């Protein structure tokens, strides 16, 4: 069955693909940091590694043009995805015998290689989505994609902390590798659109000319310059670089934060794998459902404001109650999770509709690289501030920075659908 053939099938396929993305994200950005913090590894050391692992995602725009350029009838976006998935799985295999605490540097090297492969997979999945979908369906499609990534994060983030009790750490790594490859079978049956010379930069279409590659490269550069000059790409890039700072940094320290509030690894796993992820999924589906009723820029602004209100409430109440374990922490984190799902769908929908299909990998990857760069600098900053100020004050500083990004939401010449 070709899962690219209809809008309903595309929801299933891209949900599965984002499941393969979300599983390692949950394991690396929640499962491992929680485990390391329980081993009393310092928060700033953990956040430093998390910031390092985000760098390939931040720099992926450097090789994204190659994914636009080096494709043709025999090598499309789905081939890039399948190759990336294989490399991601290979990079995680050493975790079966490495000690994640004693051999911290070796584990970090494996995770960094994995991050390069995962970033390449992400480029290809998003480019395939832009190339195969219609603007009217992208709000709903992004909702399903976020459901996929959240299920993956739940299974291998908080879920990995629960599973480890029953199948051990090696079993968890084996399950993670299987989840990375889960979408491969469905993807092998998918058929991409035929790529004509005007819309795709096919190596095979022009192979008779030795200068074809450089001609296409110049064309891509011209298209990109036009997008920057007329499409509002610059402001959108800056917004993506700043706006998600509050929730991106909070997600990165969520496990350590709960550990420092007195919760056990198992309790962190239970909460993050069930209640919190469920709230993110509900927020994502809600945003996808109502997205077509709002103009894109206004929808993003509303989502950002609501997200910041939720995070500020968490920080203020936590500070007022002395940063202690309590029901209030879990309730407020659940509310924050709902708004994270909403904001993520609103942001991605807006950015996807600003992206030209001719630059599907290059342009959208630049936007996604900005969100990843935001995660890198905000996580590092939050880790440094937490040591000096504590969690609540550090979180409030990041909220103030995110709020400043609202001024960048001016109408672009190329309006989102």
């Amino acid at each position: 069955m070709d899962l690219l053939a209809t809008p309903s099938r595309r929801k299933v396929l891209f949900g599965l693909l984002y499941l393969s993305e979300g599983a390692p994200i949950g394991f690396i950005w929640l499962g491992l940091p929680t485990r390391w913090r329980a081993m009393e590894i310092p928060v700033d050391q953990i956040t430093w590694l998390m910031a390092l692992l985000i760098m390939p995602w931040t720099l992926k725009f450097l090789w994204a043009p190659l994914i636009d350029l080096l494709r043709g009838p025999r090598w499309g976006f789905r081939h890039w995805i399948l190759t990336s998935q294989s490399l991601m799985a290979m990079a995680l295999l050493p975790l079966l015998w490495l000690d994640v605490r004693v051999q911290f540097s070796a584990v970090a090297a494996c995770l960094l290689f994995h991050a390069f492969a995962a970033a390449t997979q992400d480029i290809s999945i998003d480019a395939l989505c832009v190339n195969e979908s219609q603007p009217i369906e992208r709000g709903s499609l992004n909702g399903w994609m976020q459901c996929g990534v959240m299920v993956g994060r739940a299974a291998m983030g908080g879920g990995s902390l629960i599973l480890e009790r029953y199948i051990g750490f090696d079993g968890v790594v084996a399950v993670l590798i299987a989840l990375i490859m889960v979408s491969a079978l469905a993807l092998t049956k998918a058929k991409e659109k035929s790529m004509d010379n005007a819309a795709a930069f096919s190596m095979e279409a022009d192979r008779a000319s030795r200068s074809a590659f450089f001609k296409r490269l110049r064309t891509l550069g011209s298209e990109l310059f036009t997008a920057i000059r007329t499409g509002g790409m610059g402001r959108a890039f800056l917004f993506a670089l700043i706006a998600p700072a509050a929730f991106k940094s909070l997600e990165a320290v969520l496990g350590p934060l709960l550990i420092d509030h007195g919760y056990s690894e198992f309790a962190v796993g239970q909460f993050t794998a069930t209640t919190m992820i469920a709230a993110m999924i509900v927020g994502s589906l809600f945003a996808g459902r109502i997205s077509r009723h709002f103009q894109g820029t206004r929808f993003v602004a509303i989502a950002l404001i609501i997200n910041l209100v939720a995070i500020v409430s968490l920080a203020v109440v936590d500070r007022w109650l002395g940063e202690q374990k309590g029901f209030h922490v879990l309730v407020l984190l659940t509310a924050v999770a709902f708004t994270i799902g909403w904001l993520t769908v609103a942001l991605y929908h807006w950015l996807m509709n600003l992206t030209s299909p001719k630059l599907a990998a290059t342009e959208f990857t630049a936007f996604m690289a900005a969100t990843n760069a935001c995660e890198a600098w905000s996580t590092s900053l939050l880790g440094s501030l937490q040591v000096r100020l504590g969690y609540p004050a550090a979180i409030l500083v990041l909220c103030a920075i995110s709020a400043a990004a609202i001024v960048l939401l001016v109408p672009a010449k190329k309006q989102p659908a």
Side-chain angles (χ1 to χ4, degrees):
M1 179 185 295
D2 180 5
L3 292 181
L4 281 173
T6 67
S8 296
R9 293 180 185 179
R10 286 193 284 273
K11 290 177 183 177
V12 174
L13 177 61
F14 286 104
L16 286 173
L17 288 170
Y18 263 61
L19 173 69
S20 296
E21 277 198 44
I25 288 173
F27 179 74
I28 294 170
W29 270 271
L30 177 62
L32 279 179
T34 303
R35 199 167 187 264
W36 278 325
R37 186 57 183 152
M39 295 174 178
E40 299 185 352
I41 293 176
V43 172
D44 55 347
Q45 183 178 347
I46 296 171
T47 55
W48 175 85
L49 177 57
M50 294 301 101
L52 175 65
L53 295 180
I54 296 167
M55 291 310 297
W57 296 79
T58 303
L59 299 174
K60 62 186 179 180
F61 69 91
L62 295 175
W63 63 91
L66 292 177
I67 294 174
D68 273 328
L69 287 164
L70 302 177
R71 67 186 182 103
R74 296 182 183 179
W75 184 269
F77 291 132
R78 68 188 187 96
H79 297 93
W80 281 105
I81 296 168
L82 291 170
T83 301
S84 299
Q85 288 175 334
S86 299
L87 294 174
M88 289 165 64
M90 289 173 57
L92 293 174
L93 282 175
L95 298 187
L96 293 172
W97 59 83
L98 291 174
D99 187 313
V100 296
R101 180 183 183 182
V102 176
Q103 297 171 291
F104 190 88
S105 297
V107 170
C110 291
L111 295 179
L112 187 60
F113 180 81
H114 172 275
F116 276 104
T120 303
Q121 180 202 30
D122 184 57
I123 296 169
S124 307
I125 291 173
D126 290 336
L128 182 66
C129 182
V130 172
N131 205 51
E132 298 291 333
S133 64
Q134 298 299 318
I136 195 171
E137 69 178 290
R138 287 177 186 155
S140 177
L141 193 57
N142 269 283
W144 280 85
M145 290 158 73
Q146 288 307 307
C147 282
V149 79
M150 295 305 172
V151 169
R153 286 176 59 177
M156 299 312 301
S160 69
L161 299 172
I162 299 172
L163 282 174
E164 187 176 350
R165 174 178 291 188
Y166 303 103
I167 63 176
F169 184 74
D170 291 352
V172 169
V173 174
V175 171
L176 173 60
I177 291 172
L179 286 177
I180 290 173
M181 303 302 294
V182 72
S183 61
L185 182 61
L187 193 60
T188 58
K189 302 294 184 181
K191 296 180 181 179
E192 295 182 49
K193 291 177 181 177
S194 59
M195 297 176 290
D196 57 46
N197 291 336
F201 304 102
S202 170
M203 290 285 289
E204 297 185 18
D206 294 335
R207 59 183 173 218
S209 172
R210 296 186 64 181
S211 63
F213 177 84
F214 297 100
K215 178 181 178 181
R216 287 189 300 276
L217 186 61
R218 289 193 297 271
T219 303
L220 186 147
S222 176
E223 292 278 357
L224 186 58
F225 176 77
T226 300
I228 295 172
R229 184 170 55 87
T230 65
M233 184 179 175
R235 285 184 178 270
F237 182 88
L238 288 175
F239 183 81
L241 182 64
I242 300 170
F247 87 80
K248 289 283 189 182
S249 57
L250 177 60
E251 285 185 313
V253 301
L254 178 60
L257 181 150
L258 290 174
I259 291 290
D260 289 343
H261 277 64
Y263 293 89
S264 67
E265 284 186 70
F266 192 80
V268 174
Q270 284 184 315
F271 173 68
T272 55
T274 55
T275 306
M276 191 164 184
I277 289 296
M280 288 184 181
I281 290 173
V282 172
S284 298
L285 291 175
F286 173 78
R289 186 173 183 82
I290 68 173
S291 62
R292 66 180 59 197
H293 302 299
F294 291 86
Q295 190 267 347
T297 302
R298 184 158 59 98
F299 193 43
V300 172
I302 292 170
L304 177 58
I305 292 169
I306 292 174
N307 175 250
L308 291 176
V309 168
I311 298 175
V312 168
S313 298
L314 169 68
V316 170
V317 172
D318 191 36
R319 180 63 179 267
W320 180 45
L321 296 179
E323 299 184 50
Q324 297 296 315
K325 177 181 178 180
F327 189 63
H328 66 282
V329 175
L330 304 184
V331 170
L332 290 170
L333 279 174
T334 301
V336 169
F338 176 86
T339 67
I340 289 174
W342 182 349
L343 177 56
T344 301
V345 168
L347 178 62
Y348 288 8
H349 179 212
W350 180 59
L351 295 174
M352 194 170 282
N353 283 347
L354 286 173
T355 301
S356 166
K358 294 183 179 182
L359 299 169
T362 304
E363 192 172 358
F364 192 72
T365 294
F367 292 142
M368 292 299 96
T371 66
N372 297 135
C374 178
E375 187 168 358
W377 70 257
S378 64
T379 298
S380 180
L381 177 60
L382 183 61
S384 299
L385 291 173
Q386 185 275 333
V387 173
R388 297 193 294 270
L389 306 176
Y391 286 108
I395 290 170
L396 288 174
V397 170
L398 270 298
C399 286
I401 295 172
S402 287
I406 294 176
V407 300
L408 295 168
L409 285 178
V410 296
K413 291 184 179 180
K414 180 181 178 181
Q415 291 289 341

